[in-house]
Amino acid sequence: MSSLLIKNGKICLSDGMIEKDMYIEDGKVKKIGILGNDADEVMDAKGKLLIPGVIDSHTHMEFPFMSEVTADDFYHGTRAALGGGVTTIVDFITPSKNENPMDAYKRWRNKADPKVVSDYALHCILRNGDRNTLDSVKPLIDEGVISFKLFMAYKNELLLDDESLYDAIKEISKYGGVTAIHAENGAIVDKKTEELLKENKTEPVNHYYSRPEIVEIEAANRIATIASMIGKNVKMYMVHTSTFEAVDIFRKYRERGYKFFNETTPNYLTYDYTIFESKYGYRYIMSPPFRTEDELSGLWGRMANNELSIMGSDHCVYSDEQKKRHSDKVPPFNEVPNGTPGTETILPLLYTNGVLKNKITMDQLVTITSKNTADMFGLKSKGNLLPGYDADIAIVDPKKEFKVSYEMLHSNIKYSIFDGMILKGFPETTILRGRKVFENGNILSDAGTGKYVRGTIGY
Ligand code: DUC
Ligand code: ZN
Ligand code: ZN
């Protein structure tokens, strides 16, 4: 039995902040109150925030995509997570073409288990709507994989047609699973890309012009229509929502009793599309792309109204060499691997640009970075700092400023898309199941000490 007592911290719950001591035993929060000094280790957290460890709902570690494998494997990627106060990630199992999803699950566990330093749960991408693929849904749910991502973009790779989307959603819903949807009209993206390339428009900003807002809005409308035809038992979760119109579409369905929810990324709340015109514009290419200033403030507004439920980073890291396809020149926009880093900066971006600028409250930050995520994916021991829950904590000195550089971050790349930004809200200490795993810039835990967390069918 090991115990830790954290004295005098401001414990951030989803419905308020309390200044009390926290006693942790065997990895769990045991007591909150005015407590003595009786523990194996006593820490003073006067003036510090105790934030529930962030659950990053959306990461791609060791992800084979666009002929590259992402630079963050499960070791580097989960180190980055801990450095940002993220104690659990939810990664996407990505079966290769024709691979059975159950085999891919085993492969993902074999890759992740020996390397992870944070805890992790899994979603699974379904590349097909055929019987063979759909028969894996139930066995995966039995293994704790309760959410399945379907794509409406990336033709010949991941895109499912409307009939396959219908069949897959129906099967997932039969067992109470969550359908995660990448909502972009892939066929029109391909048409637009062709036209732009014909006109010799190859610079990174054309990534945005090839995937305008309407491409996402149409897909959000279409998937909501398809899902509503299946029934109100469908749990639809739109990942990386980049337009406020898509949030509004889902809200309208929610008002009619549908369980439709939106995730967004802090990156969409930080940059608009003009960043693609900057010197390193290619590094920012991700899909959906960054949007207009109007969209960006619309997303903040929806968060303030509790209409955006979950924050995931879509952490999908490529080195500069990979982004440039191992050449000296920046390739045409459609050849740059899609993805940006994000897990380590969820908390500081939301704290600095959201809470400190009064766009969202601390309660809302806590709700969308941990509580809602744990509820959505049935991670029962996570997402709260009340007695009985895992003691997963980001301890933040709210006054401390950091100048972001890739050197202070933990991803396996030599740049940061937030270089030079001054942010508050990085953790001083990260605690995972009662153990200090990150302190003052140093990761303290070894590969393989993170645990697989099973999702359970909930709400
Ligand atoms: N978008 C990205 O930017 N990267 C990975 C896959 C995706 O949908
Ligand atoms: Zn996606
Ligand atoms: Zn993604």
Side-chain angles (χ1 to χ4, degrees):
M1 275 211 311
S2 63
S3 57
L4 171 67
L5 183 59
I6 308 175
K7 302 282 294 175
N8 309 310
K10 293 180 178 156
I11 303 168
C12 303
L13 303 171
S14 57
D15 56 356
M17 198 183 271
I18 44 174
E19 202 165 334
K20 290 264 161 71
D21 306 333
M22 181 186 286
Y23 178 74
I24 297 164
E25 200 176 79
D26 285 340
K28 300 273 184 196
V29 178
K30 275 272 150 73
K31 269 188 256 170
I32 290 175
I34 314 278
L35 308 171
N37 276 308
D38 189 15
D40 296 337
E41 186 181 347
V42 181
M43 271 175 86
D44 184 30
K46 182 102 194 125
K48 311 275 167 71
L49 303 174
L50 269 58
I51 299 173
V54 173
I55 304 172
D56 185 348
S57 59
H58 191 143
T59 70
H60 300 280
M61 309 303 178
E62 299 187 52
F63 174 48
F65 185 57
M66 294 184 77
S67 319
E68 300 283 347
V69 176
T70 49
D72 270 352
D73 63 4
F74 279 95
Y75 178 62
H76 291 92
T78 53
R79 281 168 63 88
L82 294 184
V86 174
T87 44
T88 307
I89 61 164
V90 195
D91 200 75
F92 286 89
I93 302 165
T94 311
S96 22
K97 261 190 185 159
N98 303 320
E99 185 183 26
N100 183 281
M102 202 55 200
D103 293 336
Y105 161 75
K106 289 176 194 148
R107 202 158 56 77
W108 236 252
R109 291 289 311 270
N110 286 337
K111 288 201 288 185
D113 283 348
K115 293 186 192 156
V116 281
V117 293
S118 75
D119 285 355
Y120 78 105
L122 292 168
H123 315 281
C124 185
I125 290 173
L126 300 182
R127 300 179 80 125
N128 285 296
D130 60 19
R131 199 62 254 162
N132 200 21
T133 303
L134 298 188
D135 279 346
S136 64
V137 166
K138 175 72 172 68
L140 279 167
I141 290 177
D142 292 342
E143 292 295 329
V145 180
I146 65 124
S147 43
F148 299 87
K149 183 173 178 186
L150 312 177
F151 281 79
M152 301 169 83
Y154 303 117
K155 206 162 65 185
N156 304 323
E157 284 294 326
L158 299 164
L159 183 147
L160 298 189
D161 61 22
D162 290 354
E163 286 159 287
S164 306
L165 289 169
Y166 185 93
D167 291 343
I169 298 168
K170 200 166 173 181
E171 184 76 9
I172 296 162
S173 305
K174 193 161 124 190
Y175 303 106
V178 176
T179 302
I181 191 75
H182 178 122
E184 285 188 300
N185 184 323
I188 302 304
V189 169
D190 290 350
K191 282 280 169 205
K192 279 274 159 211
T193 302
E194 233 174 75
E195 283 172 16
L196 289 160
L197 293 176
K198 252 193 210 141
E199 292 167 34
N200 239 342
K201 294 182 173 161
T202 58
E203 304 77 19
V205 71
N206 293 292
H207 178 67
Y208 168 66
Y209 295 122
S210 72
R211 310 176 99 96
E213 286 78 2
I214 192 67
V215 154
E216 175 174 292
I217 298 164
E218 183 279 331
N221 239 321
R222 181 155 41 101
I223 202 65
T225 309
I226 294 172
S228 69
M229 288 171 74
I230 294 169
K232 289 191 172 157
N233 61 326
V234 174
K235 295 169 191 164
M236 180 60 64
Y237 176 76
M238 181 170 163
V239 295
H240 50 51
T241 309
S242 66
T243 62
F244 68 78
E245 291 91 339
V247 181
D248 292 350
I249 291 166
F250 271 35
R251 175 182 42 78
K252 283 185 190 138
Y253 276 89
R254 220 169 28 252
E255 284 164 1
R256 288 160 48 203
Y258 290 94
K259 295 175 190 145
F260 293 180
F261 303 95
N262 297 86
E263 167 202 90
T264 194
T265 83
N267 296 6
Y268 291 134
L269 298 162
T270 306
Y271 287 119
D272 68 37
Y273 78 97
T274 58
I275 195 68
F276 295 127
E277 293 170 326
S278 66
K279 183 170 174 202
Y280 296 108
Y282 60 94
R283 289 177 177 167
Y284 298 79
I285 288 186
M286 68 186 291
S287 292
F290 295 112
R291 298 302 187 188
T292 58
E293 195 51 54
D294 201 32
E295 289 292 350
L296 202 151
S297 57
L299 288 177
W300 277 115
R302 272 50 178 191
M303 268 171 73
N305 291 340
N306 301 318
E307 292 165 11
L308 257 170
S309 355
I310 289 182
M311 221 19 90
S313 68
D314 202 357
H315 187 81
C316 184
V317 176
Y318 294 101
S319 67
D320 217 44
E321 296 72 39
Q322 290 178 306
K323 282 275 185 188
K324 287 163 83 176
R325 291 285 190 195
H326 313 278
S327 117
D328 293 340
K329 281 203 263 151
V330 176
F333 69 90
N334 62 316
E335 291 174 26
V336 178
N338 288 194
T340 52
T343 198
E344 200 161 1
T345 42
I346 294 175
L347 202 49
L349 287 173
L350 292 179
Y351 185 69
T352 307
N353 299 329
V355 177
L356 295 181
K357 292 185 181 160
N358 293 320
K359 289 181 181 162
I360 55 168
T361 64
M362 197 63 202
D363 290 7
Q364 286 175 315
L365 180 147
V366 168
T367 305
I368 59 177
T369 57
S370 55
K371 183 182 181 306
N372 280 357
T373 326
D375 289 348
M376 176 73 64
F377 301 112
L379 309 173
K380 286 192 172 152
S381 62
K382 306 285 187 190
N384 214 321
L385 288 181
L386 290 173
Y389 284 89
D390 284 357
D392 296 347
I393 313 168
I395 303 184
V396 169
D397 178 346
K399 296 205 182 97
K400 195 159 173 193
E401 276 186 350
F402 295 79
K403 185 171 179 185
V404 181
S405 67
Y406 79 85
E407 285 102 337
M408 68 164 276
L409 301 174
H410 295 82
S411 272
N412 193 21
I413 49 168
K414 297 237 166 346
Y415 69 91
S416 160
I417 62 165
F418 303 104
D419 221 21
M421 258 185 206
I422 308 289
L423 296 177
K424 291 179 178 172
F426 277 104
E428 196 165 84
T429 307
T430 304
I431 292 177
L432 173 65
R433 284 178 277 107
R435 278 182 306 121
K436 281 187 193 170
V437 286
F438 171 79
E439 194 157 54
N440 299 326
N442 300 310
I443 306 287
L444 307 175
S445 58
D446 295 329
T449 47
K451 282 213 170 105
Y452 174 61
V453 186
R454 300 170 79 90
T456 48
I457 301 291
Y459 76 95

